[in-house]
Structure formats: C-alpha cells, structure tokens
Amino acid sequence: MRKRWMAAGMTAALLVGVSAGAYATSNLKEIKAFLNPDLKVQLNDITFTLKDEQGNDVFPITYEGNTYLPLRGLAQQLDLSVAWDGAGNKVILKGKPYVEFSAEEEALLKKYGYGFRLPRWLDHMMVSVIPEENVKTSIEEGRLDKRAQALTLIHYMVQDENLHRLHDVVARIEVYKKEDWPEVKKTATGAEVLGENDRYVYIAKKAAENPYEPGTLDAEGFGDLRDWLDLHDYYFTLSGK
C-alpha cells in the first residue's frame, strides 16, 4: 500500500506560479535568493525533477538557509491538484484520492455507463479501459465472448524486477447488453454481476489462479490485490446512462 510522504527534517516553503497581474495588489517584498538546480528531491526512494505545467524543469530556491520548492511541480508527485484564487489571494490544494483515466478512457466509460473509484493508495495496480477496436480483435481471436460490448482489465504490476513481464490480469470487467445476458451467463463461470441498468449488465471475472510461485512477494501481492478488489466490488460505479 502506498505510504504517504512527509517532508520531515527539512524547512521548505512551497511556491506556486501565478499570473503577473496577481502581484500588483500583493504585499510583496523583494529578496535576493539563489536557484539551486543541484538539489535533488526524492519521494519513496525515487529521485525526480520538478516540472511546470508545460513540462519544463523548475528548480528549488535557497534563501537564508531555507529551501523553497515549486509547489505545482511537487504537487504532481504527491497526487495533489493546485489552483490559484486571485480574489482570495490564496493557493488551493486538493487531494486526488482516486485513480484517474485518460480523456479517451473516460469517454469510453461514459459511453457504456460505468466507472470506478479506485483508491490511489492501492499499490502495484494498473487499470486499462480497452479501446473498442481491441475488444473486436479479442472477440475475433476467441479470447472474449462475441456478445461483449466493452472490457476493462485490472492488472497486477510485478515487484520482482527479475521477472520478464510487466503485469498479470487480476480481474476482467465485461459489459453485455441486457438482452444478451441470459444466454451469456450460462457460460460465464465464476462471474459476479457488479451492476445493471436498462441497457447493460456489468460483470467481473476474478483471476482463478495465482501466477506466481507460492511464498514470493508477488504471490502475496497478487493474491491480496485480487481479494481486496473482490471484497470491495472492484470499486465499480454506474454513471446513470
């Protein structure tokens, strides 16, 4: 599970970029400080470079023995959103507690009326909303029921760097038209119905086998993630479509 990072033992003020017009009414004092491009930032054993919204490198500032970190760049690493309230002259930070999807994935989830509120602290997990053309290919290759409308895969990301694979499927979320479901369920062994509406039935198929050697870190992690997601119904939601 993902551990929260705290900047302990370091005096750090956090800076956020705002428009030049915001400075006009601010009670600012000019100072002499130094950019410190050699200072490294490490989060959960990973050293990274701070970036602005355009993807450009931004650097810490050293002033009177204290270190000041660019807030927006740091917030990206801490899963926080940053906004500037000019009227209130304040920076607004908000946590992003759930896994986010790309615009294309969001559009596909919306089209089929479902979604997920998967906590970000679930480690070693990747969620793939499968494009429609790939769903068709899977059907043509016999890897998916021909009546399937949509597919989302939840992967376990391996921890053993010596394994020559990136992930294994913990669960499959499949979508079927409601009129097709009575026939589909006859062969949908082990499937769990997560929800339904007037158009679709949404099912989950949990991986029956643990692909890792018993007693290994990955065997434990895969099993824990599979059971946890099953316990919480895969954090599945209906969008109301």
Side-chain angles (χ1 to χ4, degrees):
M1 303 302 177
R2 178 172 297 161
K3 297 181 175 64
R4 297 185 180 276
W5 178 78
M6 298 181 65
M10 174 181 182
T11 303
L14 306 178
L15 307 178
V16 62
V18 299
S19 64
Y23 293 128
T25 57
S26 299
N27 184 22
L28 299 182
K29 296 181 180 179
E30 185 176 354
I31 63 171
K32 183 177 180 180
F34 300 91
L35 283 177
N36 194 346
D38 292 331
L39 189 146
K40 302 294 189 298
V41 180
Q42 183 172 303
L43 171 62
N44 291 337
D45 298 324
I46 298 176
T47 301
F48 58 90
T49 301
L50 298 168
K51 305 280 186 179
D52 63 16
E53 285 185 295
Q54 288 72 44
N56 301 313
D57 292 352
V58 288
F59 303 110
I61 288 174
T62 297
Y63 173 64
E64 293 188 346
N66 294 325
T67 298
Y68 296 76
L69 301 178
L71 177 56
R72 193 176 300 278
L74 185 60
Q76 291 173 358
Q77 303 294 328
L78 298 177
D79 289 335
L80 297 173
S81 66
V82 184
W84 168 249
D85 177 6
N89 194 32
K90 60 184 176 183
V91 174
I92 300 172
L93 297 174
K94 290 184 179 180
K96 297 188 289 185
Y98 303 112
V99 171
E100 295 181 322
F101 297 93
S102 69
E104 292 79 10
E105 290 174 323
E106 287 285 4
L108 199 52
L109 291 170
K110 182 178 180 181
K111 178 178 179 178
Y112 290 99
Y114 71 115
F116 305 90
R117 291 173 69 83
L118 291 152
R120 281 181 173 269
W121 50 259
L122 283 174
D123 263 351
H124 308 294
M125 179 186 68
M126 182 180 75
V127 184
S128 301
V129 182
I130 306 303
E132 290 180 306
E133 58 270 24
N134 291 4
V135 171
K136 293 178 181 178
T137 299
S138 294
I139 292 173
E140 292 169 356
E141 294 177 351
R143 293 183 283 111
L144 185 63
D145 190 287
K146 64 182 180 180
R147 291 156 293 199
Q149 301 296 301
L151 173 67
T152 295
L153 301 178
I154 303 178
H155 309 272
Y156 172 75
M157 308 299 290
V158 300
Q159 301 176 65
D160 186 347
E161 62 184 14
N162 294 318
L163 292 178
H164 299 293
R165 58 189 180 196
L166 294 178
H167 56 259
D168 286 283
V169 175
V170 173
R172 302 160 58 95
I173 312 300
E174 301 176 5
V175 181
Y176 293 92
K177 289 182 178 179
K178 194 165 186 177
E179 59 265 30
D180 290 336
W181 175 239
E183 287 299 316
V184 173
K185 70 178 179 181
K186 292 178 181 179
T187 56
T189 305
E192 173 190 357
V193 176
L194 297 177
E196 60 182 274
N197 53 29
D198 58 349
R199 298 186 63 188
Y200 299 113
V201 174
Y202 309 86
I203 69 170
K205 293 182 178 178
K206 180 173 65 173
E209 301 294 331
N210 191 320
Y212 301 99
E213 183 180 348
T216 63
L217 183 64
D218 281 308
E220 181 180 355
F222 184 93
D224 286 348
L225 180 60
R226 180 185 55 181
D227 295 343
W228 181 266
L229 291 172
D230 183 44
L231 178 65
H232 293 272
D233 294 328
Y234 304 91
Y235 296 93
F236 171 86
T237 62
L238 286 171
S239 64
K241 180 175 178 180

